[in-house]
Amino acid sequence: GAVVSQHPSWVICKSGTSVKIECRSLDFQATTMFWYRQFPKQSLMLMATSNEGSKATYEQGVEKDKFLINHASLTLSTLTVTSAHPEDSSFYICSASVYPKTQYFGPGTRLLVL
Amino acid sequence: QKEVEQNSGPLSVPEGAIASLNCTYSDRGSQSFFWYRQYSGKSPELIMFIYSNGDKEDGRFTAQLNKASQYVSLLIRDSQPSDSATYLCAVSPGGGADGLTFGKGTHLIIQP
């Protein structure tokens, strides 16, 4: 149980384009999902908290107009990187909150912006 | 600013020995503590979580929490080469419904 999937696993795009990443909880319903970002040799940094049916809560320093988050159902959250630039190249990982108090992570999406 | 500190390593341990990983955190209000294992190029995999002071054992793994000292540790008994990975300590102000603050991780190498 507690399986989280992400799609795509890899994406390469040109600078200025938008990229959508999907995060799904496969065998449970997740009212809360999280989006993290990890740069090489760095740890995971929380970007935003996504709650089903409401607006996402962004961490300080994360541009909400650049990183659009939609949590339309209890099993799906999406992160759209708008007008991506090379500095947005990173490993994006989602997680889902599981009762009572744990989080399970998806396999991650590697984004490379050329 | 909330901080989680870990020795980056690498920590080298002979196969079969006990690996000891340590973590300190700055936010005294933290309530939940997690250990994740991350293999190179992969996403984190939950090993254990602990909420109460003391020890919690799960198979070869033991997590230890001392809230007064703001200290969390992970012991790995009978270390195996497959345990070689980066171990991430994470803390949360509440539980699973709160975002996690991660340390930078300790790179553990188990020598055959």
Side-chain angles (χ1 to χ4, degrees):
Chain A
V3 178
V4 179
S5 71
Q6 275 184 250
H7 177 80
S9 55
W10 265 100
V11 59
I12 301 174
C13 68
K14 293 182 179 180
S15 184
T17 61
S18 294
V19 175
K20 179 184 282 188
I21 303 170
E22 292 186 349
C23 176
R24 294 181 185 271
S25 55
L26 296 185
D27 51 359
F28 64 101
Q29 293 183 329
T31 55
T32 304
M33 290 183 172
F34 304 89
W35 288 95
Y36 295 82
R37 179 169 56 180
Q38 187 177 34
F39 291 107
K41 306 290 186 185
Q42 301 294 316
S43 192
L44 280 77
M45 295 295 292
L46 178 66
M47 298 176 66
T49 301
S50 170
N51 291 296
E52 186 267 336
S54 63
K55 290 185 178 180
T57 303
Y58 291 83
E59 295 299 302
Q60 190 173 7
V62 177
E63 300 175 58
K64 60 181 180 181
D65 294 331
K66 181 171 184 63
F67 299 98
L68 301 179
I69 293 173
N70 183 276
H71 194 156
S73 77
L74 288 172
T75 60
L76 174 64
S77 177
T78 61
L79 168 69
T80 301
V81 183
T82 63
S83 186
H85 288 93
E87 59 266 28
D88 299 321
S89 298
S90 188
F91 189 34
Y92 291 86
I93 313 172
C94 72
S95 72
S97 176
V98 178
Y99 181 84
K101 289 185 177 182
T102 59
Q103 286 185 32
Y104 289 90
F105 284 82
T109 297
R110 292 207 177 274
L111 171 63
L112 177 61
V113 184
L114 303 177
Chain B
Q1 183 163 346
K2 302 173 185 176
E3 293 182 347
V4 178
E5 299 288 339
Q6 294 181 257
N7 188 321
S8 61
L11 173 65
S12 186
V13 173
E15 182 176 358
I18 296 175
S20 178
L21 304 165
N22 305 314
C23 168
T24 59
Y25 59 94
S26 63
D27 184 3
R28 199 169 273 282
S30 300
Q31 296 294 321
S32 304
F33 307 87
F34 305 84
W35 283 100
Y36 286 87
R37 176 171 60 196
Q38 187 174 29
Y39 293 111
S40 181
K42 303 296 185 181
S43 71
E45 171 192 5
L46 180 67
I47 298 175
M48 289 189 69
F49 55 88
I50 186 169
Y51 310 129
S52 304
N53 277 327
D55 296 359
K56 179 181 179 182
E57 186 174 319
D58 184 0
R60 295 188 296 115
F61 300 95
T62 298
Q64 299 174 318
L65 173 61
N66 183 327
K67 288 186 178 180
S69 301
Q70 296 175 241
Y71 175 89
V72 193
S73 66
L74 179 70
L75 300 177
I76 307 175
R77 290 181 298 281
D78 189 23
S79 297
Q80 302 296 311
S82 58
D83 293 328
S84 299
T86 296
Y87 287 79
L88 303 172
C89 173
V91 303
S92 167
D98 298 305
L100 302 179
T101 300
F102 281 86
K104 290 188 176 180
T106 297
H107 184 202
L108 176 65
I109 299 172
I110 305 301
Q111 296 178 322

